[in-house]
Amino acid sequence: MKRVLIRLRLSRAKHPSLRGHSKWSRRIAGQIPFFAYPEAEYFSTDGAPQSIVIKRQQAFAKLKKQIQQTSPKTLAQSASLENSISDVRFTSNYRIPFPFRNQLSKEFKLGSIVEETQGSRIKDLDGNWRYDLSGSYGVNVFGYDFYKECMAEGTNMVGDLGPVLGAYHPVIAENVEMIKQVSGLDEVSFHMSGTEAVMQAVRLARYHTGKTHLVRLCGAYHGWWDGVQPGIGNNRKTQDVYTLTDLSDNTLGILDSRDDIACVLINPLQAFHPNSDSASDVSLIASDRAANFDKQTYTQWLEKIRAVCTKRNIVLIFDEVFTGFRLSYRGAQGFFGVQADLVTYGKTLGGGYPVGVVAGTHKLMKRYKDNKPVDVSFARGTFNSHPYVMGAMNAFLRRVNSPEIQAIYQSSEKVWNDRVNLLNQGLKAAKLPVKIVNMHSILSVIYTRPSRYNWMFQFYLRQSGLELSWTGTGRFIMNLSYTDEEFSAVIDCIVNAAQQMEKDGWWWQSASLTNKAIKQQFLTDMLSVKFPILAPFLSNPLSKSSANLTATSAQLNSSEELTSAPETPIHKAG
């Protein structure tokens, strides 16, 4: 009975969604069948009338032709890599919800091949300059020129040494002192990626506490290591991770009552979308994406976690791989005013090079025990503290400590809040079903009208002059060097793209087209493939007659066809 009560309490602390139940999420993911909407239904899955379907077909063909004309070299180079680089093949297939991807022309799927940057802009092989909203996955905090200068300065600093490993270049001493100042901690170790830094921090927490389990908050990302990714994407069963609800007293109760928790791992970016995964257009099935940043609420939450961790001898780890040096000079620790026991850094701290860093107290960073000489916590790595990384890091750390960058930090939160407000004013004035939400300089697109085609917006944005990552409109990662004039140009690009998408019929509206109906139709389509015998009995809230669909699809002439694939009904892969 005691074990049952303990288990019940743990269950109450988990988020009710599948994200909060890692084992079930993996089981269910393995049962979801692939299905694809054929050409005849591709533009009418929301029940749109024939006039809207024709408008979408023509817009799709026009956009495809524009991409072909403006980016032929880039498309050709990207296509040549797709079957040779697994990342390219993966991202090409995961830009939009999977039922739509088979009929999506390759011009839309392929990634960027770029050759030059200037400040906040990036140029592809065809000479097209775009404003960068991808942020190089969070590396680009201060504009590309800043990092090119850090890399060049660092090379000059250590170039005489070359790639000597094992021995240190003397610049490492200054780097360590500056990182200690930023982190507020005693000791530092160097690694080659943020994922590797998180692995080391978790290993040290378990080593020094003698406890087994890690707590992560629902939806949080901490790199691709299976030890912190217990759900979808990791096929190994993970038995030593608790995924608990963000912003929940039940979670605090678990931390305060269990004796097996070694550490709590916090990604401060989760404050932008508590209990949700990072937004991506691949999951943009309806218009129910949500993000809501409340700084005061999340600060109070982190303070409560800090207090219970101190009380229960649980190591509090801040995963600042993304937020470090972005939210403030001291990252999330400075932004929220909460001190962690261990902090991981990465991305931007390398000054343009790959890097991972762990900072912690002397006690937690020690890798051996004086009275148990064989009981060690081992962590090494061939390229740790590479001289060129240390040189660029030194240039980065000295620059961010300059009066100019410190002045940017002082005003950056207000600057980006004001800019997003200005952008939303433009969208509202144009009566567009889109709004932007932000946490500091990280932005996300929210769709305010039910639609099955929001994922098309990323392609309009790209054609209007904006560079996005493969996750599309889920996250715009801005850099702090953007001027008001540059961001005004970005506003124009977003508004113009949204106006064109509205004009082309993708946000068509009807009384029956609700988010609930969209998700119900998606479930019906999926279950009809998984269990064909049930198909006649399932609800089809957005269905249209097959005769109308066939007639509609015939409006596309041979020069405007979606792909060379023959028209087929919804089908399983293979």
Side-chain angles (χ1 to χ4, degrees):
M1 180 61 69
K2 182 179 180 181
R3 286 198 299 269
V4 169
L5 292 174
I6 291 173
R7 181 64 188 178
L8 183 61
R9 187 173 190 181
L10 180 62
S11 296
R12 283 200 298 263
K14 294 183 177 182
H15 195 263
S17 68
L18 282 176
R19 290 184 297 273
H21 296 79
S22 302
K23 295 177 182 178
W24 276 107
S25 69
R26 289 201 307 270
R27 293 183 187 121
I28 293 176
Q31 297 301 314
I32 294 177
F34 178 83
F35 63 92
Y37 296 119
E39 183 179 333
E41 301 175 23
Y42 196 79
F43 298 103
S44 59
T45 62
D46 56 353
Q50 183 177 356
S51 60
I52 295 298
V53 171
I54 294 173
K55 184 181 292 189
R56 289 171 178 173
Q57 290 172 331
Q58 293 172 343
F60 191 92
K62 181 181 178 181
L63 188 57
K64 173 183 173 180
K65 187 175 181 180
Q66 288 175 343
I67 296 172
Q68 290 172 333
Q69 292 174 340
T70 58
S71 306
K73 294 179 181 178
T74 303
L75 289 173
Q77 183 73 56
S78 183
S80 71
L81 299 176
E82 188 168 13
N83 290 326
S84 301
I85 300 178
S86 60
D87 281 352
V88 175
R89 186 149 47 96
F90 181 85
T91 56
S92 293
N93 282 286
Y94 283 85
R95 293 182 181 275
I96 66 173
F98 70 81
F100 294 94
R101 76 183 184 204
N102 276 11
Q103 296 287 351
L104 186 69
S105 302
K106 65 180 181 180
E107 288 82 358
F108 296 90
K109 294 180 182 179
L110 297 176
S112 295
I113 307 293
V114 294
E115 61 182 5
E116 186 180 348
T117 60
Q118 290 180 3
S120 299
R121 299 191 305 153
I122 191 165
K123 186 178 77 171
D124 67 15
L125 299 185
D126 298 280
N128 299 306
W129 284 96
R130 296 183 178 89
Y131 286 102
D132 179 43
L133 275 60
S134 74
S136 288
Y137 297 122
V139 171
N140 184 14
V141 176
F142 296 106
Y144 288 115
D145 291 343
F146 177 95
Y147 295 93
K148 287 189 280 188
E149 292 167 2
C150 287
M151 295 168 78
E153 187 177 331
T155 299
N156 290 334
M157 195 182 307
V158 304
D160 290 341
L161 179 61
V164 173
L165 301 167
Y168 297 128
H169 189 282
V171 73
I172 194 173
E174 187 177 6
N175 291 351
V176 167
E177 290 305 313
M178 287 188 283
I179 293 171
K180 286 164 59 177
Q181 177 191 13
V182 169
S183 66
L185 295 163
D186 309 324
E187 202 168 321
V188 175
S189 65
F190 294 102
H191 309 273
M192 284 307 297
S193 71
T195 291
E196 191 178 322
V198 169
M199 293 168 68
Q200 170 65 352
V202 171
R203 174 174 286 190
L204 287 170
R206 287 180 169 137
Y207 177 67
H208 286 290
T209 62
K211 302 175 186 177
T212 56
H213 280 64
L214 170 152
V215 166
R216 61 185 288 274
L217 298 178
C218 182
Y221 180 73
H222 298 283
W224 56 268
W225 171 45
D226 54 14
V228 291
Q229 188 188 24
I232 297 173
N234 167 27
N235 291 323
R236 184 179 74 85
K237 294 181 180 179
T238 305
Q239 307 290 354
D240 52 8
V241 177
Y242 296 136
T243 299
L244 303 183
T245 306
D246 213 343
L247 297 170
S248 169
D249 288 339
N250 288 331
T251 293
L252 295 176
I254 291 297
L255 297 179
D256 197 26
S257 61
R258 294 191 70 95
D259 296 325
D260 58 350
I261 298 174
C263 57
V264 178
L265 186 57
I266 300 288
N267 181 346
L269 186 59
Q270 205 60 23
F272 192 24
H273 42 78
N275 295 306
S276 296
D277 295 330
S278 176
S280 171
D281 286 357
V282 72
S283 58
L284 201 54
I285 294 171
S287 298
D288 53 356
R289 175 187 288 168
N292 180 33
F293 175 55
D294 185 330
K295 185 177 181 180
Q296 182 178 356
T297 296
Y298 214 80
T299 298
Q300 294 171 348
W301 167 242
L302 292 177
E303 289 172 345
K304 291 177 181 178
I305 291 179
R306 172 68 279 179
V308 73
C309 285
T310 301
K311 175 184 176 183
R312 297 289 296 174
N313 189 32
I314 298 171
V315 179
L316 178 59
I317 305 172
F318 270 21
D319 178 357
E320 294 242 40
V321 171
F322 189 99
T323 57
F325 299 95
R326 175 177 287 275
L327 299 183
S328 74
Y329 176 59
R330 296 194 64 234
Q333 289 193 113
F335 190 70
F336 292 108
V338 176
Q339 177 68 51
D341 302 311
L342 290 171
V343 181
T344 62
Y345 298 102
K347 296 189 185 290
T348 195
L349 179 54
Y353 286 113
V355 74
V357 173
V358 180
T361 62
H362 285 308
K363 178 182 177 181
L364 290 173
M365 295 294 286
K366 192 173 181 179
R367 300 181 186 175
Y368 63 93
K369 298 176 180 178
D370 293 327
N371 60 339
K372 298 179 181 179
V374 182
D375 183 6
V376 299
S377 178
F378 190 77
R380 294 296 297 163
T382 300
F383 290 98
N384 294 352
S385 306
H386 191 288
Y388 283 79
V389 177
M390 291 297 104
M393 181 187 294
N394 186 264
F396 173 88
L397 287 167
R398 285 188 288 104
R399 283 169 178 258
V400 297
N401 201 27
S402 68
E404 294 80 10
I405 299 297
Q406 291 295 315
I408 291 175
Y409 277 135
Q410 290 300 316
S411 61
S412 60
E413 184 178 8
K414 183 178 186 303
V415 164
W416 284 101
N417 287 341
D418 290 345
R419 286 175 174 173
V420 170
N421 285 335
L422 185 62
L423 170 53
N424 281 323
Q425 288 173 17
L427 292 167
K428 185 176 182 180
K431 298 181 180 180
L432 295 165
V434 173
K435 71 175 182 179
I436 310 297
V437 293
N438 73 299
M439 174 182 173
H440 199 268
S441 52
I442 305 110
L443 285 57
S444 186
V445 178
I446 302 297
Y447 299 92
T448 60
R449 187 185 301 167
S451 173
R452 298 199 73 174
Y453 295 97
N454 292 320
W455 47 266
M456 277 295 298
F457 192 36
Q458 61 178 295
F459 306 119
Y460 281 86
L461 289 171
R462 179 176 173 80
Q463 199 59 23
S464 75
L466 302 179
E467 181 73 14
L468 277 59
S469 77
W470 68 278
T471 59
T473 63
R475 183 175 290 176
F476 298 159
I477 306 172
M478 314 302 292
N479 74 75
L480 305 188
S481 74
Y482 264 102
T483 64
D484 289 340
E485 292 74 20
E486 288 174 326
F487 194 75
S488 179
V490 170
I491 291 177
D492 289 341
C493 290
I494 293 175
V495 172
N496 291 339
Q499 287 176 323
Q500 188 61 52
M501 183 154 165
E502 173 86 294
K503 180 180 177 182
D504 290 341
W506 299 105
W507 284 320
W508 168 81
Q509 199 173 11
S510 76
S512 61
L513 186 62
T514 64
N515 286 327
K516 181 179 180 180
I518 291 171
K519 289 185 286 186
Q520 185 177 354
Q521 185 65 57
F522 183 89
L523 182 62
T524 292
D525 295 340
M526 181 176 65
L527 292 176
S528 296
V529 172
K530 185 71 174 177
F531 307 106
I533 194 172
L534 296 179
F537 308 102
L538 297 172
S539 173
N540 288 275
L542 302 179
S543 65
K544 291 173 51 110
S545 70
S546 58
N548 187 36
L549 289 174
T550 303
T552 300
S553 67
Q555 300 297 325
L556 265 181
N557 60 44
S558 59
S559 65
E560 296 175 337
E561 65 183 4
L562 298 182
T563 69
S564 59
E567 182 179 327
T568 58
I570 292 177
H571 62 277
K572 289 185 179 180

